[in-house]
């Protein structure tokens, strides 16, 4: 105080406060409460009195030193701030010690805030102001429209703590997340914030010291427009606060009989309690109450829906009978007029045989056969040498519920009953119920799977196990029957559902992973007290660890590993029926799934496919040879398209305009099965379902809905086996009409079509799904991922079972060869000639051979050849003229000789002159030499004189011979000239 009065202004303020306080009454304990100040660096704090309302009293207690900041009370205790000591809670109340709990939801508890967030895409705006979490008594329910509902609670922790809550999350159309944001703006890791789909589950999260804000957020995404089941939340408990200064009253329907209770116990059935009760009160005889009820209700008159029938277990005499029982707990009154009474039990009948793989004991009970034995339901027999048991579970007689199956009823109010499914001899059925919101569940637990020894080495076999069941539903309206698979022992995911009445039918589901550990059949009625019923006649699951055998299968009698009685046939071989002899399958065939027995096990591969080494499937090595109608060979290489490729459909919208996409993953081809499959994952929940095959589909939600880049759900397989690769439009009953993807112009090449088939069957696709992928040559497409869906079937399918895709790419064109280009030869320019190669247009090939390089050759120009030709022609002309002159001159000489002979004949008819000499040769002219002797040279004269002397000695004896010779020469010279 002295420090305050040291300043004049402080003194004035104190004086005003004293004068004002003098007019107020002294504070009573009810006018104020105690709080602790913030802890200092030494871990100390002060207790101060804080008035409940301002300016109502004076004389508050002075601050006193408080407890250490690490101080806390145990469960069932509270901190008495007056004494600063822990005290036990009184009976009828409870305390968590260092925590707070919220188990009443008649209204939103103090500190909780809920609001709706609008999800907008483009021009679509949805009003989400009323999309909030709604308190509904024992729990709080999320929204069910296409908005985001947020529930938050802020808490300040003095030490590390935790939060726990119980939730009901049955519908995968809602994305449910829980995350914590601390005072450092750090949020829960996105991978750990998503809740697992489950009927009921506890979940705990670690909280840090300091301020924490808890968020529960749901976003509904109803793609099919069906009714969505909300997320239900209750029993939120937060630990880590420093203390609680008060105890909480037990809510109605619960009680705590002793002081110091950490929680309140629910009242048993037919009892009730009010708020803060220490005991539960019994209902009156004509009234009833369910467990945990705050009041009693009048008992209604009993009806046929209040009892059920069952078959009793076989007694020591092997007899059974139909017996009727009231549904427990019994709430109806059978003494009221017109009330139904329990029918009498049926007559005792002989028990049916045990299920396959079991045998009847002396006490008429059914026990499983030992390992290596098999049974048809009567007695066990050992498998012969060279055979192995085919293990699994096959249930077709229902006198008792199998030990690995459990029946339960789940209500949204979190109450349970064990009378949901009952045995009825030839089937198991759903018992009557009083609510249409009840879920009647039958769960089968499986420890694991193991392939038979004869096929265990086949690592490429896809079918690890298969479950097949026969069922029937009879409904008055739109009831629902669900089949769910449990993954990783944490959650169930919907596999298939049926609406309304369904005739007796069989359904099979392939199991591809050992993480599938349970199967659940769930039935929900359409109306209260209705006669809607679901029946399951048989369940058969194969290759189960710890299963029993109904028969044994033969094995190949050949060398095997030590200690092995069963040896499989070599790859590509089948077993002859009734023997242990293996025979080879025809070339290019594969073995059907399961034990290969008989020639029918060999299945021929489709066109342009080859069997793998294990002979378990047919593959395409991504290479293909085709022949055109003209006889030309086309070679294709789809290896650049072999990697798994994903693509999206065009945006689709729900009824309220929210956007989503369909994602398709495609593994076109490959040399090995393990390298081909595409994978689709549903990551709505933490575990996530995964499917693998050639073609698969999942639904993708925009990232704005959830705080991660890709959100996919509802994955399913379209094709897990390759049927064939061809250009024909129909293969094995699968059609790919050309009108789905018409060509923009007259195409030079036919599309290459890949055909796929899936072995998974659904209610709508009883023969399984299938897919066709058309590869169309388009050299202008530089990207390899140009996929197109049919324009009139925007989801890729027109009937929901057969999917069609068009893939345009350069790599869908045949490889280029020398027939795809031509050469262009240029003119000879300056002694150089160039040869250029260009592609034929339009070009319908890609890759393969490349264009040859430019060729350059030496050549002779046209001017040279012209000059050469003129010169040769001139020489030839001169030579021809010379020869003509020469023969003309010769002819003249012969004519002259002939004329002279004719003149020297003496004029006598038929007499010719005799030749002077036979020595006159061709080209010689003796007469000319004699006549012109005076004109010749000296040597010429001597030669002429000598020739004359010789002619006189050699005269011809016959003038006819000379004449003929001269005539022949004349004719020859005329021809030559």
């Amino acid at each position: 105080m002295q420090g305050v009065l040291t300043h004049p202004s402080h003194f004035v303020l104190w004086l005003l406060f004293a004068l004002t306080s003098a007019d107020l009454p002294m504070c009573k304990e009810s006018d104020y409460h105690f709080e602790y100040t913030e802890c200092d660096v030494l871990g100390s704090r002060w207790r101060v009195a804080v008035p409940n309302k301002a300016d109502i009293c004076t004389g508050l207690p002075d601050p006193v030193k408080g407890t250490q900041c690490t101080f806390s009370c145990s469960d069932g205790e509270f901190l008495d701030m007056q004494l600063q000591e822990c005290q036990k809670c009184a009976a009828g109340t409870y305390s968590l010690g260092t925590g707070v709990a919220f188990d009443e939801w008649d209204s939103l508890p103090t500190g909780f805030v809920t609001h709706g967030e609008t999800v907008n895409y483009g021009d679509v705006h949805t009003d989400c102001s009323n999309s909030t979490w709604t308190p509904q008594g024992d729990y709080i329910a999320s929204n069910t429209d296409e908005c985001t509902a947020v529930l938050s609670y802020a808490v300040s922790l003095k030490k590390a703590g935790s939060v726990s809550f119980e939730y009901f999350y049955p519908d995968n159309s809602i994305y449910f997340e829980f995350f914590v944001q601390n005072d450092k703006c750090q949020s829960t890791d996105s991978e750990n914030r998503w809740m697992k789909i489950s009927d009921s589950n506890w979940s705990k999260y670690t909280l840090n010291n300091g301020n924490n804000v808890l968020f529960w957020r749901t976003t509904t995404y109803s793609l099919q427009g069906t009714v969505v089941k909300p997320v239900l939340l209750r029993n939120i408990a937060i630990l880590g606060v420093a203390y609680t200064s008060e105890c909480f009253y037990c809510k109605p329907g619960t009680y705590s009989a002793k002081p110091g209770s950490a929680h309140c116990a629910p009242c048993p059935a037919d009892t009730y309690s009010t708020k803060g009760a220490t005991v539960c009160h019994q209902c009156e005889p004509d009234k009833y109450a369910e467990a945990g009820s705050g009041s009693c209700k009048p008992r209604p008159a009993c009806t046929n829906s209040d009892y059920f029938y069952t078959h009793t277990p076989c007694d020591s005499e092997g007899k059974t009978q139909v017996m009727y029982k009231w549904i427990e707990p019994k709430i109806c009154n059978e003494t009221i007029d017109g009330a139904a009474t329990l029918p009498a039990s049926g007559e005792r009948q002989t028990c049916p045989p045990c299920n396959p793989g079991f045998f009847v004991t002396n006490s008429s009970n059914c026990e499983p056969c030992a390992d290596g034995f098999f049974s048809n339901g009567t007695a066990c027999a050992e498998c012969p040498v060279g055979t192995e048991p085919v293990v699994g579970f096959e249930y077709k007689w229902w006198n008792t519920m199998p030990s690995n199956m459990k029946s339960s009823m789940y209500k949204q109010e979190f109450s349970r009953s064990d009378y949901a499914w009952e045995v009825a001899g030839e089937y198991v059925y759903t018992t009557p119920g009083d609510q249409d919101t009840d879920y009647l569940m039958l769960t089968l637990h499986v420890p694991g799977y193991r392939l038979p020894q004869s096929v265990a080495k086949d690592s490429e076999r896809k079918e690890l196990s298969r479950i097949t069941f026969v069922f029937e539903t009879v409904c008055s309206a739109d009831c629902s029957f669900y089949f769910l698979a449990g993954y990783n022992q944490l959650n169930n995911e919907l596999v298939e559902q049926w609406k309304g009445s369904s005739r007796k039918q069989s359904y099979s589901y392939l199991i591809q992973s050992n993480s599938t550990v349970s199967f659940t059949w769930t039935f929900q009625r359409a109306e209260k007290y209705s006669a809607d019923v679901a029946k399951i006649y048989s369940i058969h699951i194969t290759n189960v660890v710890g299963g029993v055998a109904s028969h044994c299968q033969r094995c190949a009698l050949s060398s095997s590993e030590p200690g092995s009685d069963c040896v499989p046939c070599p790859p590509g071989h089948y077993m002859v029926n009734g023997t242990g002899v293996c025979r080879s399958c025809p070339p290019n065939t594969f073995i059907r799934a399961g034990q290969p027995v008989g020639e029918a096990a060999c299945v021929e591969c489709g066109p342009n496919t080859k069997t793998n080494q294990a002979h378990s499937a047919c593959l395409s090595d991504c290479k293909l040879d085709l022949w055109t109608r003209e006889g030309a060979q086309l070679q294709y290489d789809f290896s650049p398209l072999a990697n798994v490729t994903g693509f999206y459909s065009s945006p689709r919208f729900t009824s309220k305009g929210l956007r989503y996409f369909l994602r398709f993953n495609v593994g076109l081809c490959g040399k090995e099965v393990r390298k081909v499959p595409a994978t689709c994952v549903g990551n709505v929940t933490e575990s996530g379902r995964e499917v693998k095959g050639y073609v698969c589909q999942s639904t993708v939600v925009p990232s704005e809905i959830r705080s991660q880049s890709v959100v996919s759900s509802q994955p399913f397989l379209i094709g897990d086996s390759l049927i064939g690769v061809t250009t024909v439009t129909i293969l094995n009953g699968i059609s790919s009409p050309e009108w789905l993807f018409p060509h923009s112009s007259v195409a030079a090449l036919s599309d290459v079509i890949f055909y796929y088939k899936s072995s998974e069957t659904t209610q709508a696709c009883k023969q399984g799904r299938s897919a066709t992928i058309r590869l169309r040559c388009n050299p202008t497409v530089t990207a390899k991922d140009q996929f197109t869906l049919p324009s009139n079937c925007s989801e890729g399918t027109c009937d929901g079972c057969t999917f069609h895709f068009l893939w345009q790419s350069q790599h869908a064109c045949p490889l280029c060869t020398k027939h795809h280009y031509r050469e262009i030869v240029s003119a000879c320019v300056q002694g150089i000639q160039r040869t250029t190669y260009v592609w034929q247009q339009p070009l319908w090939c890609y890759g393969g051979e490349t264009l040859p390089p430019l060729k350059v050759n030496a050549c002779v120009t046209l001017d040279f050849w012209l000059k050469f030709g003129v010169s040769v022609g001139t020489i030839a002309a001169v030579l021809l003229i010379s020869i003509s002159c020469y023969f003309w001159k010769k002819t003249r000489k012969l004519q002259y000789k002939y004329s002279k002979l004719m003149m020297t004949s003496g004029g006598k008819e038929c007499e010719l002159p005799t030749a002077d000499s036979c020595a006159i040769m061709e080209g010689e002219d003796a007469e000319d030499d004699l006549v012109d002797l005076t004109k010749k040279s000296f040597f010429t004269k001597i030669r002429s004189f000598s020739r004359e002397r010789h002619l006189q000695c050699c005269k011809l004896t016959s003038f006819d011979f000379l004449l003929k010779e001269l005539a022949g020469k004349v004719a020859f010279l005329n021809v030559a000239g």
Side-chain angles (χ1 to χ4, degrees), residues 564-600:
S564 174
D565 293 332
C566 185
V567 180
C569 289
H573 291 69
Y574 66 93
M575 188 181 303
V576 179
N577 292 332
T579 69
V581 179
C582 291
R583 290 184 181 176
S584 175
C585 284
N588 205 32
T589 59
F590 69 98
I591 304 297
R592 290 185 184 274
Q595 176 63 19
V597 177
E599 189 174 0

Side-chain angles (χ1 to χ4, degrees), residues 613-628:
Q613 293 182 354
H615 290 265
S616 61
C618 294
L619 307 174
S620 169
D621 60 358
C622 304
K623 295 183 179 180
L624 181 67
D625 291 339
L626 296 177
W627 280 264
T628 63

Side-chain angles (χ1 to χ4, degrees), residues 553-699:
Q553 60 188 8
R554 299 284 302 186
C555 303
L557 302 179
S558 61
S559 61
S560 63
E561 298 179 359
S564 174
D565 293 332
C566 185
V567 180
C569 289
H573 291 69
Y574 66 93
M575 188 181 303
V576 179
N577 292 332
T579 69
V581 179
C582 291
R583 290 184 181 176
S584 175
C585 284
N588 205 32
T589 59
F590 69 98
I591 304 297
R592 290 185 184 274
Q595 176 63 19
V597 177
E599 189 174 0
C602 304
V603 181
E604 185 178 0
C605 289
N608 299 304
T609 62
K610 296 180 180 179
T611 182
N612 58 350
Q613 293 182 354
H615 290 265
S616 61
C618 294
L619 307 174
S620 169
D621 60 358
C622 304
K623 295 183 179 180
L624 181 67
D625 291 339
L626 296 177
W627 280 264
T628 63
R629 297 177 180 178
E630 293 77 15
Q633 183 181 10
L634 300 177
Q635 296 180 340
Y636 292 85
D637 186 0
F638 304 123
S639 298
L641 307 179
N643 295 329
V644 176
T645 303
F647 62 98
Y648 293 90
S649 69
S650 57
R652 304 187 61 80
F653 299 89
T654 63
S655 58
K656 287 194 174 183
L658 296 183
R659 181 180 56 179
Y660 68 96
F661 299 87
L662 299 179
R663 178 176 175 84
F664 300 91
N665 287 341
V666 174
L668 187 67
C669 52
K671 295 182 179 179
E672 296 293 336
V673 174
R674 64 179 65 91
K675 296 181 180 179
V676 170
T679 302
C680 294
V681 179
N683 59 3
V684 173
T685 60
E686 183 178 345
S687 57
R689 186 190 175 200
E690 182 178 89
V691 296
K692 293 184 177 181
Y694 283 95
V695 187
C696 61
Q697 177 193 305
S698 59
T699 302

Side-chain angles (χ1 to χ4, degrees), residues 386-687:
T387 65
E388 64 175 342
V390 181
V391 298
F393 286 113
E394 184 177 359
Y395 304 113
K396 59 181 181 180
W397 301 110
W398 303 92
N399 272 69
T400 58
M401 189 69 72
S403 59
N404 60 344
M405 298 186 72
K406 181 180 180 181
S407 167
S408 61
M409 180 184 296
Y410 202 90
K411 301 183 179 181
Q412 291 189 0
E413 290 78 11
F414 297 94
S415 61
R416 287 184 175 272
S417 171
D418 292 331
Y419 297 95
W421 292 77
E422 271 296 328
V423 295
E426 296 182 351
Y427 55 84
V428 59
Y429 75 103
T430 55
T431 59
D434 60 345
Q435 296 290 335
D436 58 353
T437 57
D438 295 345
Y439 291 90
L440 310 179
M441 299 183 298
L442 180 66
T443 303
L444 169 65
H445 295 278
V446 182
Y449 311 92
R450 182 177 62 241
L451 289 172
Q453 186 176 352
S454 59
V455 296
K457 295 182 179 180
D458 186 1
S459 60
E460 295 179 351
R461 187 177 298 275
K462 302 187 185 78
E463 184 175 327
L464 179 62
S465 177
R466 179 188 293 264
I467 183 170
T468 304
F469 58 92
V470 178
F471 72 98
E472 177 186 20
T473 59
V474 179
C475 303
S476 58
D478 191 20
C479 63
S480 302
F481 183 64
Y482 305 93
F483 174 60
L484 305 97
Y487 300 96
N488 299 325
Q489 298 182 346
L490 294 176
N491 69 303
N492 290 332
E493 286 199 7
L494 181 64
V495 175
E496 189 64 60
Q497 64 177 342
W498 295 264
K499 295 289 187 180
S501 297
S502 300
R503 60 177 178 79
K504 188 176 180 180
Q505 58 185 282
S506 176
Y507 179 82
S508 294
Y509 173 70
L510 294 181
I511 303 165
Q512 301 178 346
S513 172
N514 254 318
S515 63
T516 308
V517 295
S518 67
F519 301 93
T520 302
W521 294 265
T522 302
F523 182 69
Q524 185 183 26
R525 294 182 176 86
E527 298 177 358
K528 293 182 179 181
Y529 302 104
S530 67
D532 296 353
V533 64
K535 298 179 180 180
I536 297 180
Y537 292 89
S538 65
I539 299 175
H540 184 204
I541 182 170
T542 62
N543 303 336
V544 179
V545 174
V548 294
S550 60
H551 65 281
C552 299
Q553 60 188 8
R554 299 284 302 186
C555 303
L557 302 179
S558 61
S559 61
S560 63
E561 298 179 359
S564 174
D565 293 332
C566 185
V567 180
C569 289
H573 291 69
Y574 66 93
M575 188 181 303
V576 179
N577 292 332
T579 69
V581 179
C582 291
R583 290 184 181 176
S584 175
C585 284
N588 205 32
T589 59
F590 69 98
I591 304 297
R592 290 185 184 274
Q595 176 63 19
V597 177
E599 189 174 0
C602 304
V603 181
E604 185 178 0
C605 289
N608 299 304
T609 62
K610 296 180 180 179
T611 182
N612 58 350
Q613 293 182 354
H615 290 265
S616 61
C618 294
L619 307 174
S620 169
D621 60 358
C622 304
K623 295 183 179 180
L624 181 67
D625 291 339
L626 296 177
W627 280 264
T628 63
R629 297 177 180 178
E630 293 77 15
Q633 183 181 10
L634 300 177
Q635 296 180 340
Y636 292 85
D637 186 0
F638 304 123
S639 298
L641 307 179
N643 295 329
V644 176
T645 303
F647 62 98
Y648 293 90
S649 69
S650 57
R652 304 187 61 80
F653 299 89
T654 63
S655 58
K656 287 194 174 183
L658 296 183
R659 181 180 56 179
Y660 68 96
F661 299 87
L662 299 179
R663 178 176 175 84
F664 300 91
N665 287 341
V666 174
L668 187 67
C669 52
K671 295 182 179 179
E672 296 293 336
V673 174
R674 64 179 65 91
K675 296 181 180 179
V676 170
T679 302
C680 294
V681 179
N683 59 3
V684 173
T685 60
E686 183 178 345
S687 57

